[in-house]
Amino acid sequence: MADKFWWNLKDNLYGKELQFLVEMCDLLLAWSQMSTSTVFKELFVVLLQQCFPTFVGLMKFLSMVWSHWSHSDSTNDSGDLQIYPTLQLKFLKIATLKIDSANSIGEDDCRIISDYVIPSLMCPILSPHSELRCAALEVFKAISMISQPSMKSSLVKKIVSNRHELLNDGSHIKHIMNVLYSKLAVPLDTTGMTPKKAKKRAAKLAQLNSELYGIVGTLGHAQMPVCVQSSLLSVLQLVQNEKLVMTLVSQLDKLLTSETCLTAEGKILLELIITKFTPLVVVCLENKDVLSCFTKAMIVKHTQVLVLEQVTKEFFSALSDNVKHQILSLLFDILSEAKVPEIATAVNTTLKHIALSAELIQNELALFNKQQDAKTVRQAKRTRSSARFGSQSGSVFNEQELRKLTRILETIENKKKIKESHRLLPCLFSLISKCLEDDNQERMEYLKQLLMSCILNICNRLERLENLGDGMPEKEFNVEMIVQCVRSSDNPQTQHQALLLLTVAAKLFPDHVLHHIMSVFTFMGDNMMRQDDMYTFQIMSKTIETVIPALLAARDSDRDNLPEGSQDKLNAIVIGILRVFSDAYPHIPTHRRLPLFTKLLTTVDSKKYMWMMVVVLIQKHVTRPQPDDDTGVKTSIPADIEFCMSICHQIGTSDQAKCMKQILVYMAQLPNDKPEISSRAKKQRTTRRTTKSAQEANTNDEGPLLNLSVFTAKQFRHFKFSLISFLGFHLSSQTFIEQVSDQEDMLNDPVQFQELLEAVLKYINRVAKIMAKTAENTAKFWKALLHKSYEVLDKVTSLLPGNAFISVVSGLMSNDVHTVRRKALDLFNAKLQHQREPFSTTEEIRLIEMIDKLETVAMVTKSDQESDEYAVNRQTALLSLKLLCKQLGELHPHRFRSLLSNVVNLLRTSTSNPVTASALLCLAELVTTLHAHTISHLSTFMPTLLTILQNKKKLLSNDILLLSAVTTVHKVVESLPAFISPYLHDIIVQVVILSTSCLDDTDSKVKVKVVNQKSQLVLRLKAVRHLIAKLTPPRVLIPILIDCYQQLQENQKLCIVPLMLITQDHIANMSSDDLKYHNSSLVHLFMEALEYRSSHANESLSSIVDIEDHVINTVVSMVLKLSEQVFRPIFFKFYDWASRSSAHKERMITFYRLANCLAQKLKSLFTLFAGHLVKNAAHILDANNATKSEVPFFGDTVNYIEKSDLLLDSTIDCLLHCFLHDSDGFLTKERFNELMPPLVDQLENYQPSEDGDRSVDEVFEKRTTNLLVPCICQMAVAIGDDSQWKPLNYQVLLKTKHASAKVRFAALTVVEAFNKTLGEDYMSLLPETIPFLAELLEDESFEVEQQCQEVIHQMEKVLGHPLNKYF
């Protein structure tokens, strides 16, 4: 043992002996404590003296005991010996006593203390037991008392001076060591020091350096126990020193190759050694041995995690480039070969935290890019074929390379920051090329995904992509390679990754991507859009929102720099992309369609391309076979069109209006029908289609918006109809209406709606022209299209509120196309006509402002060739002014007064009937609305109006002008009745003249020519007449009526009818006082009017009767309002007028027709005045009886027979009504006797016509049946005296003996009527009647005989017993 510097209880040679000594000492000390005897103590002393006679041996033994396992609380896991802290405490105290009691300590003893005792004391110092720490400090204190110069250690002094801190915390020793020896890491700075002080400071540092090197040298001793080494390393944990690391390297190497590293103390020691590799000592790794040992530790399984934990960001950054490369390469190797998850996690954590540069990674990747990089896939395949000639596998990487490359790429992918990362892009693209060379593409899928992900992450990490463009030439950013990945791979993840990478490429090199982008979107439409997962949807959205904006931004911001044709190419590509999406539309999951199309349109600029998307979708809707509806329910809106509406709803209302306008403009540019293709052209087209390659087919997607060749003629018409139907559906959709109502700002400036309305009007005009020229086979289509277009027009106008609509119409009025202006005015007029609610203040202001524009249009005059077009516009403008006046005239009368003057001037100067008619209607509305404000203008417009009315030829040839003129008169009379007296005569004359031309059957029996617009005109004229009669005072109207009659009776005889209607209506509205006051004037008028028959005796009886009927009705209307006292003299005056000897006999017809009407109206009241007519009536009956008077009553005048018949009928009818309403004894015996003979004699007032005219018979039969028989019977009833019945009955029976069968038949009719009228009272007359009836039963006339039998039969029924016994 003397040869061993360090003793160890586990030494193979003397470990058993030392363990035995320790156990003996422990046993003796324990017995000495339990016994009061000193024998055991003495034995213990003797044992130590005998075994360790020297100071050095004793110190080694004691140090070995207190340093053994003290760091692990004296737990022994490998041997049977167990040393307790109590034994260690006793040995520390023995050492203190031994050092204190030593008389003299030599140099050898001092060396043992410094090299052996002091290092071993670090174990109890670090012990968790404070008693051990205290005992160890006592040893240090004893050592500090040694007077030898070599024992004047700064460390011992420092430990002694920090006694209290160490008692409380043993780990404070680490801090003491760090403070003491940290000065050695900093070069001595003598600035500001005196030479003496500097020398002293240098000497002190030299001493500290010597002490530290002494400790370090001790650590390098081969025999030092592991526990002591561990304690020393723990104490020196905070001390960073290169020499310390260099010293530990050999120990580390030994530990890595020995089994000690597997033990607990070996693991602790390894950990302590490895933790000494810090950023401050990385310079040691420049030493090949140190680096080799360090990398060896990285490979060894038990130390990998420890070493990897030391490779921190700071540690790695402090390394040289060469060392970095070696360590990084080793890390990737470990990662690729790691089979334990903990190792892989540790390596990944290390790689995540260390700072990597592109150069380091590039060196690693260069190992996989040994061949020359290929720029295209074709070049890559050629290189691959030549490089691996004869190869069977066709793989560009072996399994080990593939694993390592995968781990490197995963590191790049997950690394947040790589210095100058864009330098890696060439290598990564080269690796993609090599992957595409591999025959087993499934094996390469994940690698391609990693490569593209790395490129994507590198691009995204750059702060500004422009920097990438400057550092990475376009030719090196191989877009074609990425596109090839998209097209060649069947793996969705690879496809997604490639699309994401293209989004970045589009920002960097838009023109370069432009040549390949259609292939990408075609692939998306054919494959990705069919998938229904959120990740795929997000990838497509990302591609859309990144690639397309980059292309469009490049087009907009770099127009001058783009190659020629690139801008058109961009537009064509966008159209192609829209077509791709529309082709894929049926295959896209339903719930993904709207978000995907919305994303697309938002990205490509919906303002510009939304209408194109709708056109393309509807094109596909028309040309694609529609699936059958299994439900059998046909929806009103097709699903495809409803989807178009949904995507349109995603943008603002102004943009939607712009979209619809562009659709209409596009439709207007389409040909009317599909152009026919000649057979030769079809053949050429078929040949080209069959020889076309797939790439050319894809390129065709970038063609025009609409390819007419895909349509049949029917489909092309269906396409147009579907487009216009879409507009109608969209405008009426609830969503769009709500959006419009919410966009108040837009409605204040509705430019887009104005343009939309203009486009609709132009398209309607175009369709109308085409429909006029189209063939019969397509006429139905164009008619339906025009109808749909008008629906669109109605829906656009109905959407706009007042302010917006007014602004739109105002803007359209300035349009250059006259048709648009006219249609705009039509819309404006329709809006005003259907306006039910009052306008707001703002709307009123805008409408008032429009008056000037409308006046300009209405008053303008153009050349002859333009007159027709402008005349229509003028008419429409005048109608607009009329409607505006109706709505706002009462609120703003002063603004419309000036308009009144302009309209009157227009009436004077206008030569166009339609314009004049519109101006008249406008004038009518102005008068109606402004009322009193137009009084001052009466003298201006009334003469003009009357002039127009007097031009009957012009009026009757133009129905609209006629109706407009009458309407104007109506409004003037209605609004200003008290101020038109000077013009009333002319008004009445013109009104009655027009009424004569337009009467219908309700007003007259005169058959006249009925013009167009009859019903409206008749009603309007009737209303004018009624207003004149109602509103004009009698003092004014009656004299005018008299004058009018005198004027009209000569040349306008039929005008008397409407004139009498006015008079009759006026009388109905007159008060009793007025009627009484103006009685004489009215009687004078009626006397003249009743004179019409006598003064126009040569005219046709029917016209005279018609006029006379109206005059009589007017007289009766007056009489009905008169009292008996007032009427009696008037009646007598009429009677005298008709019955005086000098009077014209025609008057009797007029009088008895008047008397008959009065008898019907007055009923029993008329009998008060009818007594004066009895004698005259009897005279009239006899005078007009051909059997009594040889001279005709009316002489040889024209139609004397018809006149006589009319007079008889009127007289008999008048008597009939007198008898019928006799309740006051009108028919006295005298009057009976006077009237009975003439009335009965009328039964034989029959003279057959010599020429066999049947009209004579009909007149006689009609008079007898309808008038004479009822009159005779009613006379019998009225007299009520059977004594008077007998002569009456007898006189009638005498007529049965007349030679004429007609007379006999008439007499039988009277007898039959008597029987029915008198009933049982007729029994008294039966005896004298039977002989006459018996004679008639044998009458030569069959009709008379049959009638007699019928009379007998009726008598039997009335009397109640048979009469056969009398015959």
Side-chain angles (χ1 to χ4, degrees):
M1 291 179 58
D3 297 333
K4 299 281 186 181
F5 182 78
W6 286 98
W7 294 355
N8 195 337
L9 292 174
K10 295 184 180 182
D11 192 279
N12 293 331
L13 296 178
Y14 55 85
K16 294 297 183 180
E17 292 81 356
L18 290 176
Q19 291 183 17
F20 176 74
L21 289 174
V22 172
E23 290 178 352
M24 288 298 296
C25 292
D26 187 25
L27 184 59
L28 291 172
L29 290 173
W31 287 346
S32 65
Q33 288 181 351
M34 291 185 296
S35 175
T36 57
S37 174
T38 60
V39 176
F40 295 107
K41 291 183 181 180
E42 293 174 357
L43 287 174
F44 175 73
V45 173
V46 172
L47 180 60
L48 290 179
Q49 289 176 354
Q50 292 297 322
C51 292
F52 308 106
T54 64
F55 180 80
V56 173
L58 180 59
M59 287 296 108
K60 285 184 178 182
F61 177 72
L62 295 176
S63 299
M64 180 191 66
V65 175
W66 72 56
S67 62
H68 184 74
W69 291 108
S70 59
H71 59 281
S72 57
D73 296 333
S74 301
T75 58
N76 189 353
D77 59 353
S78 60
D80 297 330
L81 180 63
Q82 186 174 6
I83 300 177
Y84 292 99
T86 53
L87 181 61
Q88 293 175 334
L89 179 61
K90 293 174 180 179
F91 275 32
L92 286 170
K93 292 181 179 181
I94 292 171
T96 303
L97 294 174
K98 187 64 178 176
I99 294 172
D100 288 339
S101 63
N103 297 324
S104 60
I105 297 177
E107 290 296 329
D108 292 338
D109 298 335
C110 291
R111 185 172 63 84
I112 287 298
I113 293 175
S114 60
D115 296 341
Y116 199 108
V117 176
I118 292 177
S120 63
L121 283 173
M122 295 302 172
C123 294
I125 285 292
L126 292 173
S127 173
H129 302 286
S130 59
E131 293 83 357
L132 288 178
R133 295 198 301 272
C134 181
L137 289 173
E138 291 297 330
V139 176
F140 273 110
K141 183 177 179 182
I143 293 173
S144 67
M145 302 302 294
I146 298 175
S147 59
Q148 289 292 340
S150 59
M151 297 307 297
K152 303 299 182 183
S153 172
S154 301
L155 174 61
V156 175
K157 293 180 180 179
K158 199 72 173 176
I159 290 174
V160 173
S161 62
N162 287 272
R163 173 183 175 85
H164 296 290
E165 289 81 356
L166 292 172
L167 284 175
N168 293 325
D169 183 11
S171 63
H172 185 66
I173 188 65
K174 300 177 183 179
H175 178 69
I176 293 173
M177 300 293 284
N178 183 37
V179 173
L180 186 61
Y181 298 114
S182 62
K183 301 174 183 178
L184 299 177
V186 181
L188 178 61
D189 185 9
T190 58
T191 305
M193 295 183 183
T194 61
K196 183 178 180 180
K197 186 175 182 181
K199 184 178 179 180
K200 184 178 181 180
R201 186 67 176 270
K204 185 177 181 180
L205 290 178
Q207 181 184 357
L208 291 173
N209 193 41
S210 177
E211 292 178 4
L212 180 61
Y213 285 166
I215 297 173
V216 172
T218 303
L219 282 172
H221 202 286
Q223 300 174 356
M224 177 177 282
V226 175
C227 56
V228 179
Q229 287 182 332
S230 300
S231 299
L232 280 178
L233 287 174
S234 296
V235 169
L236 296 172
Q237 185 176 0
L238 300 178
V239 178
Q240 304 294 331
N241 189 277
E242 296 175 7
K243 187 173 181 179
L244 176 61
V245 175
M246 296 293 289
T247 304
L248 295 173
V249 167
S250 59
Q251 183 67 15
L252 176 62
D253 187 57
K254 293 178 182 180
L255 287 172
L256 292 175
T257 57
S258 66
E259 296 181 357
T260 308
C261 64
L262 300 177
T263 62
E265 62 270 20
K267 292 179 182 179
I268 294 173
L269 182 59
L270 279 174
E271 181 179 359
L272 291 171
I273 294 175
I274 291 173
T275 55
K276 300 309 293 183
F277 288 91
T278 62
L280 296 178
V281 298
V282 293
V283 69
C284 298
L285 293 177
E286 297 297 329
N287 187 294
K288 294 182 179 180
D289 297 334
V290 177
L291 180 60
S292 176
C293 184
F294 186 78
T295 54
K296 183 178 180 180
M298 291 178 65
I299 298 173
V300 174
K301 176 181 178 182
H302 303 289
T303 58
Q304 278 182 322
V305 176
L306 296 175
V307 177
L308 291 173
E309 290 177 353
Q310 290 303 113
V311 184
T312 61
K313 178 180 180 181
E314 294 78 10
F315 179 87
F316 191 80
S317 299
L319 297 173
S320 63
D321 292 341
N322 184 40
V323 177
K324 285 182 179 178
H325 173 63
Q326 294 184 49
I327 292 178
L328 182 61
S329 179
L330 183 58
L331 287 173
F332 286 135
D333 289 337
I334 296 171
L335 184 60
S336 63
E337 300 297 335
K339 297 181 180 179
V340 181
E342 290 78 4
I343 301 300
T345 303
V347 176
N348 285 326
T349 304
T350 301
L351 291 172
K352 178 180 178 181
H353 291 97
I354 63 176
L356 297 179
S357 65
E359 183 179 1
L360 291 173
I361 300 175
Q362 196 171 13
N363 292 335
E364 292 296 319
L365 296 177
L367 300 175
F368 306 96
N369 280 321
K370 295 177 182 179
Q371 297 180 3
Q372 184 179 358
D373 294 341
K375 300 301 182 183
T376 65
V377 175
R378 182 174 298 175
Q379 293 176 5
K381 289 183 178 180
R382 289 176 181 173
T383 305
R384 180 188 67 184
S385 299
S386 60
R388 55 183 183 84
F389 177 75
S391 175
Q392 297 298 323
S393 64
S395 176
V396 294
F397 302 117
N398 57 38
E399 292 298 330
Q400 183 177 359
E401 289 176 338
L402 185 61
R403 283 199 305 272
K404 184 173 181 180
L405 180 57
T406 301
R407 299 300 177 262
I408 294 174
L409 294 176
E410 288 175 346
T411 301
I412 299 174
E413 181 186 26
N414 297 324
K415 191 69 177 170
K416 291 184 178 180
K417 185 176 182 182
I418 298 177
K419 186 178 180 181
E420 296 181 334
S421 58
H422 63 276
R423 296 182 181 275
L424 294 174
L425 293 177
C427 295
L428 296 174
F429 277 112
S430 179
L431 290 171
I432 292 177
S433 176
K434 291 181 72 66
C435 290
L436 293 173
E437 297 173 24
D438 198 292
D439 292 339
N440 187 359
Q441 285 297 309
E442 292 183 2
R443 181 170 174 262
M444 293 290 108
E445 291 297 338
Y446 181 60
L447 194 60
K448 287 189 289 185
Q449 295 171 22
L450 285 175
L451 285 167
M452 289 185 287
S453 179
C454 291
I455 297 174
L456 177 64
N457 291 343
I458 289 171
C459 296
N460 289 334
R461 287 189 201 109
L462 299 176
E463 295 181 357
R464 292 181 298 178
L465 289 177
E466 291 79 7
N467 293 340
L468 177 60
D470 296 340
M472 178 66 186
E474 180 177 342
K475 61 182 180 179
E476 294 186 10
F477 199 101
N478 202 329
V479 177
E480 182 182 358
M481 203 70 67
I482 304 171
V483 174
Q484 185 64 22
C485 290
V486 175
R487 301 184 63 180
S488 64
S489 176
D490 295 331
N491 189 296
Q493 188 67 25
T494 304
Q495 298 164 1
H496 297 170
Q497 203 65 47
L499 291 176
L500 289 175
L501 184 54
L502 280 175
T503 61
V504 177
K507 295 179 181 178
L508 301 176
F509 313 111
D511 191 56
H512 195 43
V513 175
L514 192 60
H515 299 291
H516 308 281
I517 198 64
M518 277 313 302
S519 299
V520 176
F521 278 100
T522 302
F523 169 79
M524 288 175 58
D526 293 340
N527 297 275
M528 296 184 65
M529 292 185 188
R530 299 171 185 259
Q531 301 176 22
D532 186 12
D533 60 274
M534 193 62 187
Y535 182 70
T536 302
F537 175 74
Q538 290 175 350
I539 291 296
M540 289 189 292
S541 299
K542 184 70 174 179
T543 305
I544 291 169
E545 70 183 5
T546 312
V547 174
I548 297 176
L551 298 177
L552 298 179
R555 178 196 63 188
D556 296 334
S557 63
D558 198 17
R559 293 180 182 270
D560 298 333
N561 298 329
L562 283 174
E564 184 177 357
S566 291
Q567 296 181 27
D568 295 335
K569 180 76 172 177
L570 283 169
N571 290 330
I573 282 182
V574 172
I575 294 174
I577 293 171
L578 298 181
R579 189 174 289 111
V580 166
F581 275 75
S582 67
D583 290 339
Y585 166 79
H587 310 295
I588 301 174
T590 305
H591 63 286
R592 302 283 186 197
R593 290 175 181 172
L594 184 58
L596 189 61
F597 276 80
T598 302
K599 174 66 69 176
L600 172 65
L601 290 168
T602 304
T603 305
V604 300
D605 185 5
S606 57
K607 295 181 181 179
K608 183 173 182 180
Y609 294 106
M610 175 64 80
W611 72 275
M612 295 184 183
M613 185 78 261
V614 173
V615 169
V616 171
L617 282 173
I618 293 181
Q619 174 191 353
K620 296 300 178 183
H621 165 72
V622 172
T623 57
R624 183 175 59 247
Q626 299 300 314
D628 296 334
D629 190 359
D630 297 334
T631 62
V633 179
K634 184 177 180 181
T635 57
S636 59
I637 305 178
D640 294 346
I641 293 181
E642 192 168 6
F643 177 74
C644 293
M645 295 164 52
S646 299
I647 60 176
C648 288
H649 290 153
Q650 305 304 312
I651 61 177
T653 51
S654 296
D655 294 337
Q656 293 181 55
K658 183 178 179 181
C659 168
M660 290 184 281
K661 181 206 76 173
Q662 289 171 324
I663 291 175
L664 286 167
V665 172
Y666 180 73
M667 291 181 66
Q669 296 171 354
L670 292 174
N672 298 344
D673 294 303
K674 181 188 176 183
E676 295 184 357
I677 303 176
S678 64
S679 59
R680 181 178 179 183
K682 290 181 179 178
K683 183 177 181 180
Q684 292 176 354
R685 185 179 64 183
T686 304
T687 304
R688 286 196 302 271
R689 185 183 297 119
T690 56
T691 58
K692 201 179 291 181
S693 65
Q695 183 177 359
E696 291 171 345
N698 290 335
T699 305
N700 283 341
D701 287 339
E702 301 172 9
L705 181 61
L706 191 65
N707 186 4
L708 295 181
S709 63
V710 303
F711 292 107
T712 64
K714 182 177 180 181
Q715 286 177 338
F716 188 56
R717 292 192 293 270
H718 185 197
F719 169 72
K720 289 184 177 180
F721 191 80
S722 297
L723 276 177
I724 203 70
S725 299
F726 159 75
L727 298 180
F729 289 138
H730 185 70
L731 288 168
S732 59
S733 65
Q734 186 65 30
T735 303
F736 181 68
I737 294 172
E738 292 175 356
Q739 288 176 338
V740 171
S741 62
D742 293 339
Q743 296 292 329
E744 296 182 357
D745 296 338
M746 180 276 299
L747 295 175
N748 293 331
D749 186 21
V751 178
Q752 295 299 338
F753 276 86
Q754 177 180 330
E755 295 178 357
L756 172 60
L757 201 58
E758 180 180 347
V760 175
L761 295 174
K762 288 182 178 179
Y763 187 72
I764 289 175
N765 186 45
R766 183 176 185 274
V767 174
K769 290 180 179 179
I770 295 173
M771 188 175 69
K773 301 177 182 179
T774 190
E776 294 182 1
N777 58 340
T778 58
K780 184 177 180 180
F781 161 73
W782 289 107
K783 183 177 180 181
L785 189 64
L786 183 63
H787 177 70
K788 276 291 181 182
S789 302
Y790 273 110
E791 283 186 6
V792 172
L793 179 64
D794 294 339
K795 290 173 181 178
V796 172
T797 54
S798 63
L799 276 176
L800 297 174
N803 288 339
F805 179 79
I806 296 168
S807 300
V808 168
V809 171
S810 179
L812 292 176
M813 286 176 62
S814 304
N815 195 279
D816 296 334
V817 182
H818 64 82
T819 306
V820 174
R821 295 197 299 270
R822 183 176 70 251
K823 292 292 185 181
L825 289 174
D826 290 338
L827 293 175
F828 182 65
N829 295 341
K831 188 76 172 181
L832 292 177
Q833 286 175 336
H834 295 90
Q835 183 71 26
R836 295 292 179 265
E837 299 178 357
F839 291 106
S840 64
T841 304
T842 306
E843 292 173 347
E844 287 183 9
I845 295 174
R846 292 190 176 182
L847 289 172
I848 292 297
E849 293 173 352
M850 285 192 66
I851 294 178
D852 293 332
K853 289 186 177 181
L854 293 171
E855 281 190 87
T856 303
V857 176
M859 309 305 167
V860 71
T861 57
K862 292 290 180 180
S863 58
D864 294 337
Q865 63 269 21
E866 298 176 323
S867 58
D868 292 340
E869 299 292 346
Y870 281 93
V872 176
N873 287 351
R874 294 173 70 188
Q875 287 178 256
T876 313
L878 286 168
L879 178 58
S880 301
L881 291 170
K882 170 185 176 295
L883 296 172
L884 279 176
C885 180
K886 182 177 181 179
Q887 296 284 349
L888 304 175
E890 294 182 358
L891 300 175
H892 306 276
H894 299 289
R895 180 62 188 85
F896 288 92
R897 288 179 64 181
S898 60
L899 175 61
L900 180 61
S901 302
N902 293 333
V903 172
V904 173
N905 293 334
L906 178 60
L907 286 173
R908 291 175 178 174
T909 59
S910 175
T911 58
S912 172
N913 289 343
V915 174
T916 303
S918 298
L920 286 170
L921 291 175
C922 184
L923 175 63
E925 194 61 48
L926 287 168
V927 171
T928 302
T929 307
L930 299 180
H931 295 291
H933 295 279
T934 60
I935 295 175
S936 60
H937 297 272
L938 269 175
S939 59
T940 305
F941 67 80
M942 280 306 298
T944 304
L945 176 59
L946 292 173
T947 302
I948 294 173
L949 289 171
Q950 290 168 2
N951 191 348
K952 296 298 185 298
K953 181 179 180 180
K954 182 177 180 180
L955 281 178
L956 296 177
S957 63
N958 191 304
D959 299 336
I960 296 177
L961 180 61
L962 174 59
L963 183 60
S964 300
V966 174
T967 301
T968 305
V969 172
H970 179 202
K971 296 299 181 182
V972 171
V973 172
E974 182 181 31
S975 303
L976 303 171
F979 304 96
I980 59 173
S981 299
Y983 314 101
L984 189 58
H985 179 275
D986 293 335
I987 291 174
I988 293 175
V989 169
Q990 301 306 323
V991 168
V992 297
I993 291 174
L994 291 174
S995 299
T996 303
S997 302
C998 305
L999 287 175
D1000 61 2
D1001 293 340
T1002 59
D1003 287 348
S1004 174
K1005 295 180 181 179
V1006 179
K1007 296 181 179 180
V1008 297
K1009 180 181 178 181
V1010 180
V1011 297
N1012 294 333
Q1013 306 293 332
K1014 169 185 171 183
S1015 58
Q1016 294 184 25
L1017 183 60
V1018 168
L1019 292 175
R1020 187 70 69 178
L1021 288 169
K1022 185 176 181 180
V1024 173
R1025 297 195 304 267
H1026 174 71
L1027 289 174
I1028 292 174
K1030 180 179 180 181
L1031 301 178
T1032 308
R1035 59 180 176 79
V1036 177
L1037 183 59
I1038 292 176
I1040 293 176
L1041 291 175
I1042 295 173
D1043 294 341
C1044 289
Y1045 178 82
Q1046 293 172 353
Q1047 177 181 343
L1048 296 172
Q1049 69 171 337
E1050 296 298 331
N1051 300 323
Q1052 301 287 343
K1053 302 177 183 63
L1054 294 178
C1055 295
I1056 297 175
V1057 174
L1059 187 67
M1060 287 298 106
L1061 292 174
I1062 295 174
T1063 306
Q1064 182 179 351
D1065 204 357
H1066 184 65
I1067 291 173
N1069 288 281
M1070 289 177 66
S1071 64
S1072 300
D1073 294 338
D1074 288 338
L1075 188 61
K1076 183 178 180 180
Y1077 181 78
H1078 298 285
N1079 183 19
S1080 58
S1081 299
L1082 289 173
V1083 171
H1084 174 68
L1085 172 62
F1086 294 147
M1087 294 295 289
E1088 289 190 14
L1090 292 173
E1091 192 69 32
Y1092 182 82
R1093 177 182 290 274
S1094 59
S1095 60
H1096 298 82
N1098 295 328
E1099 294 185 7
S1100 65
L1101 289 178
S1102 59
S1103 62
I1104 294 174
V1105 168
D1106 185 72
I1107 294 172
E1108 193 174 72
D1109 282 345
H1110 284 83
V1111 175
I1112 291 173
N1113 289 336
T1114 305
V1115 174
V1116 171
S1117 67
M1118 181 192 71
V1119 170
L1120 292 176
K1121 298 186 70 173
L1122 297 176
S1123 63
E1124 178 186 350
Q1125 293 80 6
V1126 177
F1127 171 64
R1128 185 179 296 276
I1130 295 175
F1131 180 76
F1132 290 156
K1133 188 175 183 179
F1134 285 144
Y1135 177 72
D1136 180 66
W1137 165 78
S1139 62
R1140 68 171 69 112
S1141 59
S1142 61
H1144 201 288
K1145 291 184 178 180
E1146 302 284 346
R1147 291 182 180 178
M1148 294 306 297
I1149 300 176
T1150 302
F1151 173 76
Y1152 275 102
R1153 294 188 76 240
L1154 173 62
N1156 184 26
C1157 290
L1158 289 172
Q1160 294 177 22
K1161 297 293 182 180
L1162 296 178
K1163 295 180 173 47
S1164 61
L1165 292 177
F1166 184 72
T1167 58
L1168 299 175
F1169 317 101
H1172 301 279
L1173 304 180
V1174 173
K1175 292 183 179 180
N1176 184 264
H1179 171 70
I1180 293 297
L1181 291 175
D1182 289 339
N1184 286 277
N1185 192 331
T1187 60
K1188 291 185 177 183
S1189 175
E1190 298 180 356
V1191 180
F1193 184 77
F1194 293 98
D1196 297 331
T1197 60
V1198 179
N1199 298 324
Y1200 68 93
I1201 296 177
E1202 288 80 0
K1203 293 177 182 178
S1204 179
D1205 290 339
L1206 180 60
L1207 178 58
L1208 283 174
D1209 290 345
S1210 300
T1211 305
I1212 295 172
D1213 197 18
C1214 179
L1215 291 174
L1216 170 61
H1217 285 89
C1218 289
F1219 298 152
L1220 183 64
H1221 302 295
D1222 182 14
S1223 58
D1224 296 328
F1226 161 73
L1227 187 59
T1228 60
K1229 187 180 296 186
E1230 292 78 11
R1231 292 174 180 172
F1232 177 83
N1233 292 330
E1234 188 169 359
L1235 289 175
M1236 187 268 290
L1239 281 174
V1240 175
D1241 290 342
Q1242 285 297 318
L1243 290 173
E1244 57 183 8
N1245 187 15
Y1246 170 72
Q1247 291 183 344
S1249 175
E1250 296 179 358
D1251 55 2
D1253 187 4
R1254 292 289 300 172
S1255 61
V1256 176
D1257 296 343
E1258 292 176 358
V1259 170
F1260 176 76
E1261 292 174 359
K1262 181 179 180 181
R1263 181 189 306 131
T1264 302
T1265 303
N1266 297 334
L1267 296 175
L1268 189 57
V1269 172
C1271 183
I1272 294 174
C1273 292
Q1274 197 61 42
M1275 183 175 64
V1277 173
I1279 191 62
D1281 187 358
D1282 56 352
S1283 63
Q1284 300 296 326
W1285 292 345
K1286 288 184 179 182
L1288 174 60
N1289 184 53
Y1290 183 73
Q1291 292 296 324
V1292 172
L1293 291 173
L1294 290 176
K1295 302 304 179 186
T1296 62
K1297 296 183 177 291
H1298 196 276
S1300 174
K1302 292 288 184 182
V1303 175
R1304 296 196 299 273
F1305 189 90
L1308 278 173
T1309 305
V1310 175
V1311 172
E1312 181 183 13
F1314 271 172
N1315 178 53
K1316 290 180 181 179
T1317 303
L1318 298 179
E1320 294 181 356
D1321 293 337
Y1322 191 74
M1323 287 294 294
S1324 61
L1325 304 176
L1326 186 60
E1328 64 180 8
T1329 305
I1330 287 178
F1332 290 94
L1333 294 178
E1335 185 179 352
L1336 289 175
L1337 286 174
E1338 299 177 357
D1339 195 90
E1340 60 184 8
S1341 173
F1342 176 75
E1343 289 82 1
V1344 173
E1345 181 182 352
Q1346 188 176 14
Q1347 178 65 22
C1348 182
Q1349 292 176 356
E1350 180 67 22
V1351 169
I1352 293 172
H1353 179 68
Q1354 290 295 332
M1355 284 183 176
E1356 289 176 346
K1357 289 174 64 177
V1358 172
L1359 298 176
H1361 56 84
L1363 301 178
N1364 293 334
K1365 61 182 179 180
Y1366 300 111
F1367 300 101

